[in-house]
């Protein structure tokens, strides 16, 4: 859920000054620099390059430019959220409109209407407290189990909304 | 009517259809079908990321602490939610799950990561399990998973 190993391709462009014995290392390092930490609507967050598939392909020289392009195939660890999945997230902000929680760099908003009505917002402590069980309090740094209700994807990022209304969702740990 | 010649060329063939995706019915789209993508458990990710971090630290100079903020945030996340801790436990969990061939790899990762207490909870939070595995087998699996938690 969330984390996947996928095979991706990237055209890595290399300047002729690297056309020597350390070319392979340069290629791999350039790939990592270019893709790690990026996010796309299609594959989600590229967390880490795991392996570059060998043998490395031959470079294709760009006519008139001198650069070579290497179409590298690699395995990557990605994080891609899906509507409907249940995830644990860390609360970063609590307001009367709802709760903001994070799964790594992904922010998921749980609106007030997606929080059980037997939890009330306490302005003073910036938390949601259960009226039934006073010890049950959701505040900054709490871990909550939520279901992703919706994901909006644009070319370079995600916004997500979730719910803790259903059974077995809510405060964890 | 959309005048195609005015649509930026990069967008003409974009097919982002998140509305059709639904993890509760295992509709993850073509890019994440079980042939193309392997779901990983949080413990496995934790091992991969800490190895990478250790490797980076061994390099001297400016590269040593150059992690992207995406990497740092996920590293923190998996350290917090890793239930099994360590290569041996993570491997045992993986072997255990693989024995249940009726389960989809996505479901296997969900079970490991969420560690539901019983079959009812599991089938509620992972609805695609409902008609795939009987409660007593699922309860056995969950008990065995729990025995690996740290």
């Amino acid at each position: 859920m969330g984390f996947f190993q996928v095979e991706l391709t990237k055209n890595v462009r290399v300047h002729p000054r690297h056309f020597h014995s350390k070319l392979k290392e340069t290629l791999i390092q350039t790939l990592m620099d270019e893709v790690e930490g990026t996010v796309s609507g299609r594959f989600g967050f590229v967390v880490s390059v795991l392996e570059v598939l060998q043998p490395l392909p031959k470079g294709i020289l760009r006519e008139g430019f001198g650069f070579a392009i290497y179409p590298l195939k690699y395995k990557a660890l990605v994080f891609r959220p899906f509507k409907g999945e249940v995830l644990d997230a860390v609360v970063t902000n609590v307001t009367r409109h709802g709760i903001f929680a994070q799964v790594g760099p992904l922010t998921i908003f749980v609106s007030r209407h997606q929080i059980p009505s037997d939890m009330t917002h306490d302005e003073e402590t910036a938390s949601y407290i259960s009226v039934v069980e006073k010890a049950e309090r959701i505040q900054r740094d709490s871990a909550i189990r939520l279901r992703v209700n919706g994901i909006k994807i644009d070319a370079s990022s995600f916004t997500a909304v979730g719910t803790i209304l259903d059974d077995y969702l809510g405060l964890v740990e | 009517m959309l005048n195609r010649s005015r649509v930026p060329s990069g967008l003409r063939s974009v097919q982002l259809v998140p509305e059709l995706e639904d993890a509760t019915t295992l509709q993850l789209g073509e890019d994440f079908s079980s042939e193309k993508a392997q779901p990983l458990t949080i413990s496995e990710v934790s091992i991969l990321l800490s190895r990478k971090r250790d490797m980076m630290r061994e390099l001297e100079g400016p590269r040593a602490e150059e992690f992207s903020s995406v990497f740092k945030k996920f590293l923190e996340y998996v350290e917090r939610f890793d239930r099994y801790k360590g290569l041996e436990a993570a491997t045992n969990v993986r072997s255990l799950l693989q024995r249940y061939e009726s389960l989809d790899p996505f479901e296997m990762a969900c079970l490991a990561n969420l560690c539901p207490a019983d079959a009812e909870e599991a089938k509620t939070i992972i609805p695609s399990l409902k008609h795939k595995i009987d409660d007593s087998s699922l309860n056995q699996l969950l008990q065995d998973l729990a025995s690996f938690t740290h």
Side-chain angles (χ1 to χ4, degrees), chain A:
Chain A
M1 47 160 294
F3 291 104
F4 297 84
Q5 177 178 295
V6 292
E7 194 183 295
L8 301 175
T9 2
K10 172 94 180 153
N11 288 331
V12 176
R13 202 176 72 148
V14 170
H15 188 278
R17 73 167 166 270
H18 299 296
F19 293 169
H20 54 53
S21 59
K22 291 256 195 296
L23 178 58
K24 188 168 158 180
E25 284 90 337
T26 304
L27 269 178
I28 294 177
Q29 192 57 59
T30 309
L31 172 69
M32 291 189 178
D33 291 344
E34 286 184 13
V35 306
E36 286 183 346
T38 62
V39 53
S40 72
R42 191 174 167 196
F43 289 103
F45 295 87
V46 179
V47 187
S48 178
V49 169
L50 297 175
E51 188 192 324
V52 179
L53 301 187
Q54 311 279 346
L56 296 183
K58 288 198 195 319
I60 302 156
L61 279 176
R62 292 280 309 232
E63 270 196 45
F65 284 94
F67 284 91
I69 311 249
Y70 289 80
L72 296 184
K73 284 197 169 123
Y74 63 104
K75 291 195 177 153
L77 168 65
V78 302
F79 180 88
R80 169 65 150 83
F82 285 94
K83 188 181 88 167
E85 72 173 330
V86 170
L87 297 168
D88 292 336
V90 180
V91 176
T92 49
N93 206 14
V94 175
T95 73
R96 64 189 146 87
H97 301 297
I99 294 171
F100 288 88
Q102 306 268 143
V103 174
L106 172 69
T107 302
I108 306 176
F109 176 62
V110 180
S111 119
R112 179 69 191 90
H113 309 292
Q114 298 298 332
I115 298 169
S117 50
D118 61 9
M119 294 204 91
T120 53
H121 178 239
D122 181 40
E123 189 98 29
E124 213 180 285
T125 55
S127 63
Y128 279 85
I129 308 180
S130 166
V131 299
V132 170
E133 177 63 62
K134 292 276 186 234
E136 210 180 296
R137 176 199 296 264
I138 298 177
Q139 60 198 1
R140 181 176 293 217
D141 208 51
S142 297
I144 55 171
R145 182 160 287 186
L146 55 83
R147 185 184 299 279
V148 177
N149 258 354
I151 301 199
K152 199 166 129 212
I153 301 181
D154 65 52
S156 62
S157 67
F158 295 88
T159 44
V161 291
T163 184
I164 57 170
L165 276 179
D166 308 329
D167 290 340
Y168 303 108
L169 301 180
L171 208 53
V172 292
E173 285 174 348

